[in-house]
Amino acid sequence: MLLFRLLVPALLTLLAAEGSHVQISLNLTWEVAAPDGNSREVILTNGGFPGPQLLFDEDDDVEDGQYGAIFIRRKLGTPTPFKLITNDSEDLSRIDVAAATPRLVLLSDWTNFSSSSYYDAQVKINLDLFCVDSVLFNGKGAVNCQSQSFLESLVGPVLASLLDGSKVTDKGCLMPALPDVQGKYWNDGDLSKLPPGLNSGCQATQGSMEIFEVDARDGWVSLNFIGAQSLADIIVSLDGHSMWIYEVDGSYVEPRLVDTLSVYHGERYAAMIQLNKTPGNYTLRAGVQNPDQLLSGYSTFAYKDGSDIEAVPPYLDYGGTNTSANVRSSDREAFIPYQVVPPSLSAQSIHFTQLGRLGAAWKWTLNGHARYTVDRFDTAPLLYNPNSLEALDENLVIRTLYDSWADIVIQTVWDDQTPTQPPHPIHKHSNKAYVIGQGTGIFAWESTADAIEAVPASFNLINPPYRDTFVTSPATEAWIVIRYHVITPGAFLLHCHIDTHLESGMAMALLDGVDQWPQLPWPPR
């Protein structure tokens, strides 16, 4: 039943290359739904969750805003990397078709708490929370509950160290109040305010199952994974099938064959899969790979006209861990761009970040000195006030000049506030950046040029990864250097893609090409 209209119907408009005018109506409503079998209030788009899958062509002029999958077909004649997969002409023809008609796979975690109630819970308890109920494929899934003995059998060395003698809950989660999890704030929390069902109290549901039907006669299929999760890092695998990863964050890469694929928040991967197995039903798995929860979700990869087959040994266990040393895992840094122009050998500016907590276990910072809260610039948006004192605050704002090259050092710090760090998926809006360097410890140089001279093996200026999401190492203090060309003047955001971290302030504004900004009236007319 419709509870209330969140927004009036939004018109998504595009101008096709041929000059035709296409109009799509997106109606956002606030209703009760049950993606994993548990009912709660949800924002629905055109009555569904997630929103409808939208397909466009490259160069379409699109204005959109929804929680759902979008696929943009490339221009005819765009060079592809598929000859690095096979030289067989028939296979290449089928791969071309598969790439142009992919199955979109929206990966998300889900809790029985709305995002606002979840965030309010961690503020009240005064601790960082991270437990989820389920993992969904295209908005479908179920709450899976396992025995305590089974969960304990999956506890590995990293999780055991964090548990510090305690046990995981019946939802496979860490208890919140642990020193290595909350830092020096671990004893500041009020566990009596922890809402029932958030961290424990697993109740299995029937839910629903997404089914991806394929036809062996097609030869190949492309699964395009979209990381739309809020809290959990996800790892996927398809029983009995390996995957050629050929596209990352919307750009072609030299294909790499993997059995398991890590998909962090905001990342997009395209996987080409050969349909050469015995026709039947196979399990597509998505496990939580954080060391703070043991959980998996499932969907079905169904061959058309398939028969009953024996169970195929999985590549991943229920805790998101490889089942053997022979499993080929994805390596984010090994995805080499395909026919991408390398970055400039030098940059005109360098900007520093310092990722960690600031003042409480649930308060996160990107700069180390201030938090960019969601309402910080509501009264005076930086786009309209580029020379205000707030717009000049280097703790929260990075300013660049048009047509310059800028470096950003993404630095994680381990201290008494943050004795361990989760992998932070740092997302950059506007254009992508090259990951030109990374290393352990503290970035101790005033410029990237100095760092390259000191530790040349830590840098790659020839064919570095080309991304818009940059995942920090959870193993130790570490740094990443990204370099991008400022070619899109505007106000954008650099932020952690973990929802609770972003909402607590783990972000900075990117004021790109400020020397080219027009004078905009404030308040706007």
Side-chain angles (χ1 to χ4, degrees), residues 101-227:
T101 57
R103 309 297 172 84
L104 305 186
V105 186
L106 191 78
L107 300 169
S108 59
D109 51 18
W110 192 254
T111 82
N112 205 30
F113 296 79
S114 67
S115 56
S116 59
S117 60
Y118 197 103
Y119 184 76
D120 290 344
Q122 70 171 17
V123 174
K124 291 176 181 177
I125 193 178
N126 203 29
L127 291 174
D128 196 27
L129 300 178
F130 35 74
C131 193
V132 302
D133 286 302
S134 56
V135 179
L136 309 181
F137 290 84
N138 290 339
K140 295 180 181 180
V143 176
N144 299 308
C145 299
Q146 306 294 337
S147 69
Q148 191 67 29
S149 60
F150 176 74
L151 293 172
E152 295 294 334
S153 72
L154 298 175
V155 174
V158 175
L159 180 53
S161 175
L162 294 174
L163 285 167
D164 194 27
S166 64
K167 295 184 180 299
V168 295
T169 71
D170 61 349
K171 292 174 68 172
C173 296
L174 292 168
M175 286 302 296
L178 293 170
D180 283 346
V181 177
Q182 307 290 350
K184 71 177 184 180
Y185 306 110
W186 74 275
N187 207 27
D188 293 349
D190 186 351
L191 292 177
S192 68
K193 296 180 179 178
L194 185 65
L198 192 151
N199 208 71
S200 61
C202 189
Q203 296 186 7
T205 64
Q206 184 70 26
S208 57
M209 177 79 75
E210 178 72 322
I211 298 174
F212 300 95
E213 187 178 69
V214 297
D215 192 332
R217 290 170 295 186
D218 294 335
W220 296 79
V221 68
S222 180
L223 295 185
N224 289 27
F225 296 100
I226 304 165

Side-chain angles (χ1 to χ4, degrees), residues 283-364:
T283 300
L284 182 60
R285 303 169 188 269
V288 173
Q289 61 177 342
N290 311 46
D292 50 33
Q293 185 167 11
L294 302 167
L295 178 68
S296 276
Y298 308 99
S299 62
T300 299
F301 187 84
Y303 279 78
K304 187 177 180 179
D305 300 326
S307 57
D308 292 335
I309 59 173
E310 293 185 4
V312 176
Y315 295 119
L316 291 173
D317 66 20
Y318 183 79
T321 301
N322 292 351
T323 54
S324 79
N326 296 324
V327 173
R328 292 168 292 194
S329 302
S330 61
D331 178 357
R332 299 184 78 263
E333 312 314 321
F335 292 119
I336 299 172
Y338 179 74
Q339 294 189 359
V340 172
V341 178
S344 170
L345 297 178
S346 62
Q348 284 70 57
S349 62
I350 186 170
H351 310 273
F352 297 92
T353 67
Q354 183 176 308
L355 283 58
R357 290 188 171 99
L358 189 65
W362 57 273
K363 295 180 179 179
W364 290 88

Side-chain angles (χ1 to χ4, degrees), residues 74 77-84 92 95-96 99 252-253 338-339:
R74 294 180 182 274
T78 300
T80 68
F82 301 137
K83 286 187 177 180
L84 299 176
L92 287 171
I95 287 174
D96 283 337
Y252 283 143
V253 296
Y338 179 74
Q339 294 189 359

